Amino acid sequence: MKTVTTYLSFDGNCRQAMSFYGECFATDVELSTYPDASGQPSSDPAAKIMHAQVMRGGAPILMASDTPQSGSLRVGNSVSVAIDCESLEEADRLFGALSQGGEIRMPLTDAPWGARFGMLTDQFGFQWLINCALPGK
């Protein structure tokens, strides 16, 4: 297995969410809208997103789309996005950014497995697990 990429579904706010995540990860976001009546990508700034990617180093780290039919999405707590950070500073920054407008379920703290770990639910209802090995561990 080369990579695992989380794919999120939204009910009309994919553009807003992916822009938020792009800011949190300080990286580029690619958005493609559903086609309009003529079959071309819609130029309407409120158009639903058919496919979105948050990119890092030329590879997607997070992908998403709006559901084609409004009201068909049921957000639940069965999905978490786990991030293993390269530094404590990165863990702190991502945790702070992703928790904006959301709910901290477990503050970043030193965990028994030798890492700093925290859990949050972001403003869009998705759960995030932030982990970073402590120096020397």
Side-chain angles (χ1 to χ4, degrees):
M1 186 176 317
K2 187 174 180 181
T3 63
V4 175
T5 304
T6 302
Y7 199 101
L8 306 175
S9 296
F10 296 90
D11 196 17
N13 61 341
C14 181
R15 181 186 310 268
Q16 175 190 2
M18 294 302 274
S19 295
F20 171 76
Y21 297 139
E23 289 176 22
C24 288
F25 294 109
T27 191
D28 296 326
V29 177
E30 297 176 0
L31 301 171
S32 300
T33 59
Y34 282 101
D36 61 19
S38 69
Q40 299 300 312
S42 177
S43 58
D44 180 354
K48 286 190 167 190
I49 302 299
M50 183 173 64
H51 183 70
Q53 300 182 121
V54 173
M55 304 294 289
R56 185 172 190 180
I61 61 171
L62 184 64
M63 296 189 296
S65 65
D66 283 314
T67 57
Q69 187 174 21
S70 292
S72 62
L73 179 71
R74 300 291 178 254
V75 177
N77 61 2
S78 60
V79 175
S80 296
V81 182
I83 300 176
D84 193 21
C85 297
E86 294 181 28
S87 69
L88 295 176
E89 293 78 18
E90 180 184 44
D92 288 340
R93 185 186 67 73
L94 286 176
F95 195 86
L98 290 165
S99 65
Q100 293 177 53
E103 176 187 347
I104 295 173
R105 296 182 3 245
M106 179 182 166
L108 276 175
T109 188
D110 292 353
W113 56 88
R116 180 138 324 133
F117 178 78
M119 301 186 305
L120 64 99
T121 302
D122 71 22
Q123 61 184 301
F124 301 102
F126 291 101
Q127 298 180 89
W128 295 81
L129 311 172
I130 307 296
N131 189 79
C132 182
L134 292 169
K137 300 286 178 179

